[in-house]
């Protein structure tokens, strides 16, 4: 048969690390504490349990943030795939022997060689220059609007919206200075 297990208090008494007076005092203190708790309806605060709950809550918050970041990255990848598909399906053919169309991107002047007709479409807002995967492409205005809704930074050459191309009001003092469309390049 195995020996009965001794409590910590009994082990300390047996090894001589604690005296019987210290053991009696510890028992009395414990009895007093439990009596006070029942008398005052006070619950003992378990610090280890509180720290564990706090750590668990922090981990849950961190996990929520990571999941949200992951979802945002997945959504961005999905939008980028949509933009790529739009650009590939709707890009206009560039003409290496055409006219140079210059525009700025991040304070750097870039050049595309396109036909004169396509250049006129860009200047009138019927086409736009978009940047995707380090390449510049010309797409029609409807496609550029769809791209702009998904990833606004991809549209490089701004095309006018309907509100901006609307006729000026008759009482607009600057309406006389408006340049007609046929004088634009």
């Amino acid at each position: 048969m195995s020996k009965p297990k001794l409590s910590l208090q009994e082990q300390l008494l047996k090894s001589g690390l604690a005296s019987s007076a210290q053991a009696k005092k510890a028992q009395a203190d414990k009895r007093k504490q439990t009596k006070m708790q029942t008398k005052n309806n006070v619950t003992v605060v378990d610090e280890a349990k509180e720290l564990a709950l706090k750590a668990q809550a922090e981990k849950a918050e961190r996990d929520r943030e990571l999941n949200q970041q992951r979802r945002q990255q997945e959504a961005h990848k999905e939008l980028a795939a949509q933009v790529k598909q739009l650009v590939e399906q709707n890009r206009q053919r560039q003409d290496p022997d055409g006219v140079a169309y210059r525009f700025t991107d991040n304070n750097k002047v870039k050049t595309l060689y396109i036909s004169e007709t396509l250049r006129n479409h860009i200047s009138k807002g019927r086409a736009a220059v978009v940047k995707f995967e380090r390449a510049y492409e010309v797409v029609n205005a409807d496609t550029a609007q769809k791209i702009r809704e998904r990833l606004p930074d991809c549209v490089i050459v701004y095309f006018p919206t309907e509100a901006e191309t609307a006729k000026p009001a008759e009482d607009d003092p600057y309406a006389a200075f408006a340049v007609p469309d046929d004088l634009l390049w």
Side-chain angles (χ1 to χ4, degrees), residues 14-181:
K14 189 174 181 182
S15 67
L17 294 174
S19 66
S20 60
Q22 289 174 331
K24 286 181 184 178
K25 184 174 187 283
Q27 283 180 347
D29 288 344
K30 187 174 181 181
R31 214 177 12 240
K32 285 179 186 177
Q33 185 179 8
T34 55
K35 206 178 225 185
M36 289 294 286
Q37 287 176 357
T38 56
K39 183 178 177 183
N40 296 335
N41 286 335
V42 176
T43 57
V44 176
V45 177
D46 189 6
E47 292 179 17
K49 194 173 189 179
E50 282 184 4
L51 288 174
L53 289 173
K54 183 178 177 184
Q56 186 178 11
E58 288 174 355
K59 184 182 182 307
E61 179 65 28
R62 206 169 36 250
D63 288 346
R64 272 193 296 276
E65 289 174 2
L66 288 173
N67 284 337
Q68 183 179 0
Q69 287 176 354
R70 207 171 292 125
R71 274 187 250 117
Q72 287 175 347
Q73 289 173 347
E74 289 173 4
H76 189 269
K77 284 181 183 178
E78 185 178 318
L79 290 175
Q82 290 175 6
V83 167
K84 180 178 181 180
Q85 185 178 11
L86 284 169
V87 169
E88 288 177 352
Q89 290 177 350
N90 297 296
R91 66 177 153 209
Q92 303 293 319
R93 190 175 61 82
Q94 295 182 18
D95 184 8
D97 297 327
V99 295
Y101 181 76
R102 291 184 176 82
F103 58 95
T104 59
D105 182 23
N106 291 331
N107 295 327
K108 293 182 181 177
V109 176
K110 302 292 182 177
T111 304
L112 283 178
Y113 292 96
I114 54 178
S115 66
E116 184 68 37
T117 312
L118 195 53
R119 182 178 179 179
N120 288 336
H121 285 303
I122 294 172
S123 66
K124 292 182 179 179
R126 293 188 213 133
V129 177
V130 295
K131 178 182 180 181
F132 191 73
E133 295 180 348
R134 299 182 181 170
Y136 298 96
E137 298 290 341
V138 179
V139 296
N140 62 32
D142 295 334
T143 303
Q145 183 61 32
K146 291 175 186 176
I147 292 171
R148 191 175 189 201
E149 290 170 0
R150 288 164 176 79
L151 295 174
D153 294 339
C154 288
V155 178
I156 302 298
V157 176
Y158 180 78
F159 56 96
T161 61
E162 290 179 15
E164 294 169 344
T165 58
K167 298 289 181 190
E170 291 180 17
D171 59 344
D172 184 6
Y174 298 105
F177 300 110
V179 178
D181 285 343

